[in-house]
Amino acid sequence: MDSKLSSRVLKILCLGLVFHLFYIISVFDCYFTSPVVNGMQQFRVRQAKAKRLVLIVGKLSCDGLRADLLMNLNPFPTIADSPEVVAPYLRSIAETRGAFGVSHTRVPTESRPGHVAIIAGMYEDVSAVTKGWKTNPVEFDSVFNQSSHTFSFGSPDILPMFARGAIPGKVKTWMYNEDDEDFTKDATALDIWVIEQLETLLRNATTDRTLDRQLREDGVVFFLHLLGLDTTGHSYRPHSKEYMHNIEVVDNIVKRTELLLKKFYRDDETSYIFTADHGMSNIGNHGDGNPDSTRTPLIAWGKGIRGPLPDTVISSHDNYSRPWGLDKFVRQDVEQADIAPLMTTLLGINLPVNSVGVVPDVDPVSPGYLRPKGGEREKAEAAVVNARSILEQYRVKHRLKAEHSVSYQPFPQLTPANGPTSIPGTQELVEIEQLVTLEHWAEARKKSMELIRVALEGLRYLQTYDRILLRSIVTAGYIGWAAFSAASLISSDSTGPSPSRTSRLGLPIIAGSVLLGFWGRFAVQKSPWTYYAYVAFPCYFWYETIRLTLPFALRGTSHSQSAGLSTFQLKSLGISAAVILSLQGMVAAYTNRAIWSIGFVAIGVYWPLVHWPSSIRQEDPIFLVRWAISCLSTALFPLRDVEQRESSSLIVAGGVAMICVGSVSAYVLTQSDSQRKRIVPTSLLFIGLSTLVTYDSVVRLQTKVGLPFVNKALNWTLLFLSASYPKLSRMQYPNEYSKLLGLFLAFAPCFVILSIAAEGLFYLSYCATLITWIGVETKVRAHTRKAQNLSKAESYQPTLDDVRIALFFLFFVQVAFFGTGNVASVSSFYLEPVYRLVPVFNPFIMASLLIFKIIAPYVMLSAVFATLNSQLGLPPFSLFLIALSMTDMMTITFFLNVTDTGSWLEIGQSISFFVIASLLLVWSAGICILGEWLMSGSTNDHRLQKKRKLQ
């Protein structure tokens, strides 16, 4: 490989990696910036409805509780002797003395953002969530911080973030150890521990005067965080007997809590809120925007809460809630952030300053949740306070934006009538106050609701004020990268006349002026530092693209007059159209997995029959059949339902199949018994042991007898010893295919130990397709050169065939991810296999194991791609750069499709798709680097042979 070309390729590759990795965070700056600002005045209702409040968050499966499984009649029909009502106490509350409905959560349906919405009344931006779970990545106010005292009990994963964000000493926490979150044990013990700690606290107050005084102050909050059933849902799925039993346990804890507080306080001045941070899917997972993950129950009762109301002529129920058997009572739904202002209204404390929640009783046509003790006046007062609080946020953000924006345009519906210096919303508040003075309560609530709606729209307007500009910059960056990488790859020093001195000087001046203009604007607006980098990339890319392509433009049309150029152009246009359609097909495949299978049919059947040289089909028809069978067998896996159940028989089948294929392949590939003995036996032993140990672990976990230490130790040992064996043994492979076989066998135990069902079979089929692909491309390239009477060029120039190969590579990159997991998010991968190694809750290790499982197919892809480069005599990374230059068509599509409105499913998937696509691009570079390292020094390395020949 030419040293100058090598240096250029390396520079382009490094720049591309930095660019794509950095631009991933652009989705957060563009669509999900932090809503938190400071400096707002706080508001509260004048009269409290209750002296204290109990918030119970039921952590039922996947850190959440589905409303249907709690409220349905006979929700577990497949379980023998299951009760018709699983939570009789909570249901009796809904029927006789409380209000109920569905609390709709927002994505990501994870613990931290769910609790922030409930307790702080704000929807935390995704970028803040990624900065930490147990501490506060951003400072925010909460109901706990506004209470007189909060006594919280439960998980160490949630409680600390609200204690650290509050006034010191105001929020007291009682937490069990992280090691107690063991997925192999009865998780109900964690929830029982919570109620026992509450009981101990109340008992201690009888002898501790300070504690007793704190408990009896007005505005006290009790927070019971019931995480125990999280482990049950992950381990046994939501429709299991274990899950049903855990709901019964939580129902009993709610009953015990109410009895304890009644006995201690001897009054009826306590309000109760029961809900969940999020729900779950049928497979016991969350985080992916599944509708079942966004619907949680909300039951409220006690002081200040209305009782059940008869349903209206237009029913408040739908097909989701009719199976509850509560049709005669009103179902009152809320957004999750609405719970926080509901709690502050009950306690008569300040609303959290960043709360965007709306008390359900603001809407005059809504039954709400409050009991109008003082008539409609109290509901009207709550509505006015709610409106003032949200309007105050708009005023502060409006002022900040006006101070720092260039040519600022305020939100039209809140533009002050008396000029830009007036305070927005003043006239609307005056009208509402006049209605309150005249005791027109319903009209005051209606006007307040309208002001809240307009203020929320204004907040969104300010939140997205710079979105169009930023989207344009990011789009220009991705397109600029594609143009720059393509121009860099095809340019050479002898392309024609050099541009004039004026052109050489003009380009830097123009590029620098554009860059400085944007930087000046960002400085005035005090924009985040990331904005400066976002605009620097497209400025550089387009500058370099014009500089590299300008000599081609100066050459005129001399080449266009050569014979056959029009045919080449026509073929190029055809391939370009095919590439665009293929990439957009991959985009569509993110939501329709069957498209991946169609892709395999296209490359395994259509392409060989239509586009292969006829000589290949005639000379080696068996090879064509092998290629078609390998592609069609791999095409079966994306068609499988993503909701899988643990199957020990399929796990064992995968292990046995890999042993059989490995043995046969070793016999075919190796040239002597001594070579075969060095390559195969140890790896096959690892696969066999992992199959046996995994089967035993599955049986033990399913029967709930616990996982012995020896099983965990063997699983860990086999997992990493097998993966590192090819390098640790320093084995010398006779050829590249033998080395590929060694790598395949090395990662086979991973797809046994970390499989839930057919992943091992997918790994086998996928690797067979990849290895066959090497032979396919080698034959096609050889026959093409022979037909065109071409010899290998001394310096590399991209060809149209290289574009197709790069497109196939992108296809295999995507399939490696989507072949075994759900398309929505990494968190939707199953956790059952992880319990075979980590039975105690440890999110970092669990996530690492899931990522390791994702990596395994890519190890094979990396080695195959490096081998393919070598077999074709191409420079390292040349095919990858072609792929990287055209794949941003997918990335731009996903970026522009990101939304933060609509259904939670649409929001969650739009974010996940962009992030997954972007990460897979960066991941692809690692694949190429890993492949070159893994296959370095191979005896059949054609580039190495060429170098030795030249020497």
Side-chain angles (χ1 to χ4, degrees):
M1 181 180 180
D2 181 77
S3 59
K4 190 173 183 179
L5 176 62
S6 176
S7 175
R8 184 174 64 188
V9 168
L10 183 60
K11 289 179 180 178
I12 298 172
L13 179 63
C14 293
L15 179 60
L17 291 180
V18 172
F19 164 68
H20 284 91
L21 191 61
F22 185 80
Y23 256 45
I24 289 176
I25 64 176
S26 66
V27 71
F28 303 120
D29 278 334
C30 186
Y31 296 97
F32 301 97
T33 54
S34 175
V36 176
V37 293
N38 298 309
M40 280 85 73
Q41 179 183 352
Q42 290 191 291
F43 300 90
R44 61 190 295 178
V45 296
R46 290 178 295 179
Q47 185 174 0
K49 294 179 176 294
K51 291 185 177 180
R52 67 198 70 90
L53 181 139
V54 179
L55 172 63
I56 304 175
V57 176
K59 304 289 290 181
L60 300 184
S61 179
C62 307
D63 304 341
L65 169 61
R66 272 170 53 169
D68 57 341
L69 294 182
L70 179 77
M71 307 294 287
N72 275 5
L73 293 174
N74 193 24
F76 298 92
T78 60
I79 300 175
D81 300 325
S82 62
E84 183 181 31
V85 177
V86 184
Y89 190 72
L90 285 168
R91 185 179 181 86
S92 68
I93 292 172
E95 292 177 327
T96 60
R97 56 193 178 98
F100 70 92
V102 174
S103 170
H104 296 275
T105 71
R106 284 193 182 182
V107 294
T109 45
E110 298 283 357
S111 299
R112 178 186 166 86
H115 281 88
V116 169
I118 294 171
I119 300 169
M122 58 174 257
Y123 296 111
E124 194 172 40
D125 59 286
V126 180
S127 61
V129 174
T130 60
K131 298 174 185 176
W133 291 96
K134 298 181 182 180
T135 57
N136 293 337
V138 293
E139 294 295 333
F140 58 85
D141 194 12
S142 71
V143 175
F144 295 172
N145 190 44
Q146 298 301 327
S147 67
S148 59
H149 292 282
T150 293
F151 302 89
S152 56
F153 310 85
S155 168
D157 303 317
I158 296 299
L159 269 57
M161 69 182 183
F162 293 101
R164 295 173 188 171
I167 297 172
K170 178 166 286 192
V171 180
K172 299 178 173 60
T173 61
W174 285 262
M175 301 174 291
Y176 39 75
N177 294 325
E178 292 184 356
D179 292 343
D180 294 332
E181 299 173 21
D182 193 330
F183 289 90
T184 65
K185 297 180 180 179
D186 184 1
T188 59
L190 299 178
D191 295 337
I192 294 173
W193 181 92
V194 169
I195 188 63
E196 289 176 346
Q197 295 303 306
L198 174 62
E199 189 174 18
T200 300
L201 174 75
L202 299 178
R203 187 186 312 117
N204 291 341
T206 60
T207 57
D208 187 333
R209 292 185 178 180
T210 301
L211 176 60
D212 185 70
R213 186 185 70 253
Q214 292 175 349
L215 287 170
R216 297 185 185 280
E217 291 181 12
D218 291 348
V220 167
V221 174
F222 294 93
F223 175 40
L224 276 61
H225 179 255
L226 305 179
L227 173 69
L229 297 177
D230 169 26
T231 59
T232 301
H234 281 311
S235 301
Y236 302 107
R237 308 285 177 89
H239 292 283
S240 64
K241 182 178 180 180
E242 292 78 10
Y243 184 73
M244 179 189 72
H245 171 62
N246 280 187
I247 293 180
E248 295 173 331
V249 170
V250 168
D251 187 62
N252 185 57
I253 288 176
V254 173
K255 181 178 181 180
R256 287 180 60 183
T257 300
E258 189 170 7
L259 292 175
L260 281 172
L261 294 177
K262 279 188 176 183
K263 181 179 179 181
F264 180 81
Y265 287 108
R266 301 181 184 278
D267 62 25
D268 293 316
E269 296 294 327
T270 308
S271 299
Y272 297 85
I273 302 288
F274 178 86
T275 188
D277 50 356
H278 54 77
M280 66 199 151
S281 63
N282 289 330
I283 59 176
N285 292 326
H286 61 92
D288 54 2
N290 185 296
D292 285 328
S293 298
T294 64
R295 293 183 292 225
T296 62
L298 175 63
I299 303 176
W301 71 100
K303 186 68 173 180
I305 306 293
R306 67 163 175 83
L309 296 175
D311 205 6
T312 57
V313 176
I314 301 177
S315 177
S316 61
H317 293 268
D318 53 20
N319 293 333
Y320 177 72
S321 62
R322 286 194 181 96
W324 300 358
L326 298 172
D327 297 46
K328 59 183 178 180
F329 303 114
V330 169
R331 165 185 158 184
Q332 175 65 62
D333 287 10
V334 301
E335 302 298 327
Q336 193 171 49
D338 298 344
I339 298 175
L342 174 61
M343 291 191 291
T344 60
T345 301
L346 289 167
L347 292 175
I349 59 178
N350 290 331
L351 275 79
V353 292
N354 290 110
S355 171
V356 295
V358 181
V359 180
D361 298 75
V362 170
D363 190 348
V365 301
S366 168
Y369 277 80
L370 298 175
R371 175 181 296 164
K373 182 181 65 175
E376 292 297 315
R377 180 184 60 81
E378 287 191 356
K379 288 192 174 186
E381 180 187 357
V384 174
V385 169
N386 208 161
R388 284 182 175 276
S389 178
I390 295 177
L391 178 63
E392 177 71 7
Q393 293 182 63
Y394 173 82
R395 287 174 169 177
V396 172
K397 291 187 177 184
H398 162 80
R399 187 184 72 249
L400 293 173
K401 184 66 69 174
E403 289 175 355
H404 302 296
S405 294
V406 177
S407 303
Y408 171 65
Q409 298 294 324
F411 183 58
Q413 291 181 258
L414 281 174
T415 301
N418 298 326
T421 58
S422 301
I423 301 176
T426 301
Q427 181 178 347
E428 289 85 348
L429 283 178
V430 169
E431 293 177 1
I432 294 173
E433 292 293 349
Q434 288 175 348
L435 291 171
V436 171
T437 302
L438 296 173
E439 298 185 353
H440 294 170
W441 312 122
E443 189 66 20
R445 290 166 65 188
K446 183 178 179 180
K447 286 285 187 180
S448 297
M449 189 70 194
E450 177 63 18
L451 180 56
I452 289 174
R453 182 191 65 78
V454 173
L456 289 175
E457 290 180 0
L459 286 173
R460 175 160 182 79
Y461 171 81
L462 297 177
Q463 193 80 0
T464 60
Y465 188 79
D466 297 322
R467 180 169 296 181
I468 294 178
L469 174 64
L470 193 55
R471 288 174 70 172
S472 301
I473 292 172
V474 172
T475 301
Y478 280 121
I479 298 175
W481 160 256
F484 163 70
S485 58
S488 299
L489 203 58
I490 64 175
S491 65
S492 63
D493 294 333
S494 57
T495 54
S498 300
S500 64
R501 175 182 177 85
T502 304
S503 300
R504 292 199 306 269
L505 292 176
L507 282 177
I509 292 174
I510 294 173
S513 300
V514 172
L515 182 63
L516 291 176
F518 275 105
W519 281 5
R521 178 190 179 103
F522 295 153
V524 171
Q525 297 181 172
K526 295 185 178 180
S527 300
W529 68 270
T530 51
Y531 283 41
Y532 296 82
Y534 292 149
V535 76
F537 280 110
C539 286
Y540 174 76
F541 290 153
W542 286 109
Y543 163 73
E544 285 292 317
T545 299
I546 296 173
R547 184 183 68 82
L548 292 171
T549 56
L550 192 58
F552 288 94
L554 294 176
R555 279 198 300 174
T557 60
S558 59
H559 281 279
S560 64
Q561 299 171 355
S562 61
L565 185 58
S566 60
T567 303
F568 176 81
Q569 289 176 332
L570 186 62
K571 187 176 181 181
S572 299
L573 288 174
I575 290 183
S576 298
V579 167
I580 293 173
L581 290 175
S582 299
L583 291 173
Q584 293 306 307
M586 293 184 198
V587 170
Y590 275 59
T591 53
N592 188 347
R593 292 167 57 87
I595 294 178
W596 302 115
S597 300
I598 295 173
F600 274 112
V601 174
I603 68 176
V605 179
Y606 172 78
W607 176 54
L609 293 178
V610 177
H611 295 284
W612 276 16
S614 59
S615 54
I616 299 180
R617 298 193 297 270
Q618 295 170 357
E619 293 174 6
D620 198 352
I622 296 178
F623 186 76
L624 186 150
V625 173
R626 281 174 48 202
W627 172 242
I629 291 175
S630 63
C631 288
L632 293 177
S633 61
T634 311
L636 297 175
F637 292 94
L639 296 175
R640 302 184 77 241
D641 193 341
V642 296
E643 296 188 1
Q644 297 291 317
R645 290 196 173 274
E646 193 173 45
S647 173
S648 58
S649 59
L650 284 176
I651 295 173
V652 172
V656 172
M658 287 186 281
I659 292 173
C660 294
V661 172
S663 302
V664 174
S665 300
Y667 181 82
V668 173
L669 291 175
T670 54
Q671 300 171 355
S672 68
D673 290 339
S674 61
Q675 290 174 338
R676 186 161 58 249
K677 289 177 181 178
R678 293 192 63 192
I679 295 176
V680 176
T682 304
S683 295
L684 294 181
L685 177 63
F686 288 153
I687 300 173
L689 285 175
S690 63
T691 303
L692 292 174
V693 176
T694 300
Y695 178 80
D696 182 70
S697 300
V698 169
V699 172
R700 290 177 179 274
L701 289 172
Q702 288 180 345
T703 56
K704 292 175 284 188
V705 298
L707 192 65
F709 173 78
V710 65
N711 287 53
K712 290 183 287 185
L714 281 173
N715 280 331
W716 279 108
T717 302
L718 291 169
L719 190 66
F720 289 105
L721 188 59
S722 63
S724 57
Y725 178 70
K727 282 295 181 182
L728 292 177
S729 62
R730 299 189 177 184
M731 189 179 298
Q732 296 297 318
Y733 295 93
N735 52 58
E736 289 172 321
Y737 285 97
S738 297
K739 196 166 190 177
L740 291 173
L741 174 62
L743 291 173
F744 164 75
L745 296 175
F747 284 88
C750 168
F751 270 85
V752 174
I753 298 172
L754 294 176
S755 289
I756 189 172
E759 294 100 309
L761 296 173
F762 162 78
Y763 175 67
L764 174 60
S765 178
Y766 178 77
C767 292
T769 304
L770 290 179
I771 294 173
T772 309
W773 183 40
I774 300 173
V776 167
E777 295 294 354
T778 304
K779 284 181 178 291
V780 171
R781 180 62 62 94
H783 281 71
T784 301
R785 289 186 178 279
K786 183 179 179 181
Q788 298 177 358
N789 196 25
L790 297 175
S791 59
K792 291 186 178 180
E794 292 299 322
S795 62
Y796 172 69
Q797 290 294 330
T799 67
L800 295 179
D801 269 352
D802 293 346
V803 175
R804 178 189 50 73
I805 296 172
L807 188 64
F808 281 12
F809 169 69
L810 288 176
F811 177 79
F812 286 123
V813 167
Q814 312 284 335
V815 171
F817 181 81
F818 293 114
T820 59
N822 194 344
V823 301
S825 68
V826 174
S827 66
S828 63
F829 281 86
Y830 301 93
L831 291 179
E832 283 95 331
V834 178
Y835 304 150
R836 302 164 197 164
L837 297 107
V838 188
V840 176
F841 180 69
N842 190 314
F844 177 78
I845 297 179
M846 288 178 170
S848 299
L849 288 170
L850 291 176
I851 292 173
F852 183 75
K853 179 182 177 181
I854 299 171
I855 288 174
Y858 288 108
V859 174
M860 285 301 298
L861 178 58
S862 68
V864 165
F865 199 54
T867 303
L868 182 59
N869 270 273
S870 172
Q871 293 276 3
L872 299 180
L874 303 178
F877 310 116
S878 56
L879 291 175
F880 170 69
L881 286 175
I882 296 175
L884 198 59
S885 65
M886 64 183 181
T887 193
D888 278 334
M889 193 176 302
M890 291 178 60
T891 313
I892 292 173
T893 302
F894 283 128
F895 179 79
L896 296 178
N897 286 340
V898 171
T899 179
D900 58 351
T901 60
S903 71
W904 309 146
L905 177 62
E906 293 170 340
I907 297 171
Q909 286 188 335
S910 69
I911 302 168
S912 299
F913 292 163
F914 170 76
V915 173
I916 290 171
S918 300
L919 288 175
L920 287 180
L921 298 179
V922 178
W923 190 267
S924 300
I927 291 172
C928 296
I929 296 172
L930 177 63
E932 293 292 333
W933 176 71
L934 289 172
M935 303 307 292
S936 62
S938 179
T939 56
N940 278 9
D941 191 325
H942 294 264
R943 293 190 300 262
L944 183 61
Q945 289 181 359
K946 181 179 178 180
K947 181 178 179 181
R948 290 172 177 171
K949 183 178 179 180
L950 291 174
Q951 290 176 344

